[in-house]
Amino acid sequence: MTTDIRVLVVEDEPLLAEAHSAYTERVPGFVVVGVAHTARAAMAALRAGGGGDVDLVLLDFRLPDLHGLDVCRALRAAGSSVDVLAVTSARDLAVVRTAVSLGVTHYLLKPFTFAAFRDKLERYADYRAQALADGEVAAQHEVDQMFATLRGTAGHSLPKGLDAQTLDRVRAALTDGTRAEVGLSATEVSALTGISRVTARRYLEYLVTVDRAARTPRYGTPGRPEVEYRPR
């Protein structure tokens, strides 16, 4: 029996739907079980089997036949507890507030990098693992930990001198397209992100310590081998 998190991608632009599906499949533990280009198709897919074949919906809000918020309302009115990750260009604060009130788990603004997308899915997977565990929470801190995992403040804080925004830029450079296959040195990450080589190395080494990157020697250059980094 699979333990993968089953995802329905709802996006009216075929190329974006394909890209979001490909991104999802690149994150371990997630599998795309369907793609819908309209709200009607999405609702039909979720009604099939009582919605039990889908754990998470990647939902574009600007659909041709119905707004994504109305899809959320219909889901909740039907008693569906499926989780929703909004993947949208809608920046109106009223839309964000309504999304929260309708139980939207995460809100990801377009355009975004694969690193940002993966971070949302990984945090969701951590939260889901905690939420679906048997038994009861022992104390308040366990509830706080679940919410912190979901909202992005889980685990240990970044070491002194590192900030989340720069870390996202370094991860984005490391995971972008073909560069993820060939690996990057600290010098190359520095050139791509606009930070110094020393700073790039600090962030790359941090990613290695938290198992988000792997470090290997790069041969073929004069002198000592250069170190290169690849995403995990």
Side-chain angles (χ1 to χ4, degrees):
M1 184 175 181
T2 181
T3 58
D4 285 341
I5 295 172
R6 298 159 299 183
V7 179
L8 173 67
V9 175
V10 184
E11 166 62 57
D12 67 318
E13 294 286 343
L15 289 178
L16 285 179
E18 184 178 342
H20 296 170
S21 297
Y23 271 11
T24 302
E25 295 282 359
R26 287 175 61 186
V27 182
F30 289 82
V31 59
V32 175
V33 295
V35 176
H37 300 299
T38 65
R40 184 185 297 274
M43 295 299 294
L46 290 166
R47 281 194 300 268
D53 291 333
V54 176
D55 302 309
L56 178 67
V57 180
L58 303 187
L59 181 62
D60 180 23
F61 276 0
R62 292 173 175 169
L63 298 170
D65 53 342
L66 199 65
H67 195 282
L69 288 176
D70 292 320
V71 174
C72 292
R73 290 188 183 95
L75 288 173
R76 301 315 177 211
S80 173
S81 59
V82 67
D83 290 319
V84 175
L85 193 166
V87 183
T88 179
S89 57
R91 298 171 182 266
D92 192 319
L93 283 173
V95 172
V96 177
R97 289 195 301 270
T98 303
V100 172
S101 72
L102 291 170
V104 170
T105 304
H106 270 312
Y107 199 105
L108 183 59
L109 283 173
K110 299 175 182 176
F112 50 83
T113 64
F114 173 67
F117 181 86
R118 181 175 65 180
D119 181 67
K120 295 293 186 188
L121 262 60
E122 289 175 343
R123 291 189 185 282
Y124 170 74
D126 289 344
Y127 158 78
R128 181 178 171 83
Q130 296 174 62
L132 295 182
D134 293 331
E136 299 179 349
V137 293
Q140 178 65 43
H141 76 273
E142 293 188 7
V143 178
D144 293 341
Q145 175 67 23
M146 288 175 60
F147 279 90
T149 299
L150 194 57
R151 300 308 176 197
T153 55
H156 56 275
S157 58
L158 290 174
K160 186 176 181 180
L162 303 189
D163 69 84
Q165 200 168 33
T166 305
L167 182 63
D168 283 345
R169 286 161 57 197
V170 171
R171 285 187 66 184
L174 205 61
T175 57
D176 183 31
T178 57
R179 292 197 293 263
E181 302 298 325
V182 299
L184 292 174
S185 68
T187 301
E188 291 162 341
V189 171
S190 169
L192 289 167
T193 59
I195 60 179
S196 72
R197 182 183 62 82
V198 172
T199 299
R201 184 179 296 278
R202 287 189 64 203
Y203 281 92
L204 289 165
E205 287 297 325
Y206 170 75
L207 290 173
V208 171
T209 64
V210 296
D211 202 32
R212 289 288 185 256
R215 183 200 313 112
T216 56
R218 177 188 290 175
Y219 298 98
T221 56
R224 295 187 341 187
E226 194 170 13
V227 175
E228 66 181 20
Y229 301 83
R230 287 186 176 85
R232 284 192 183 276

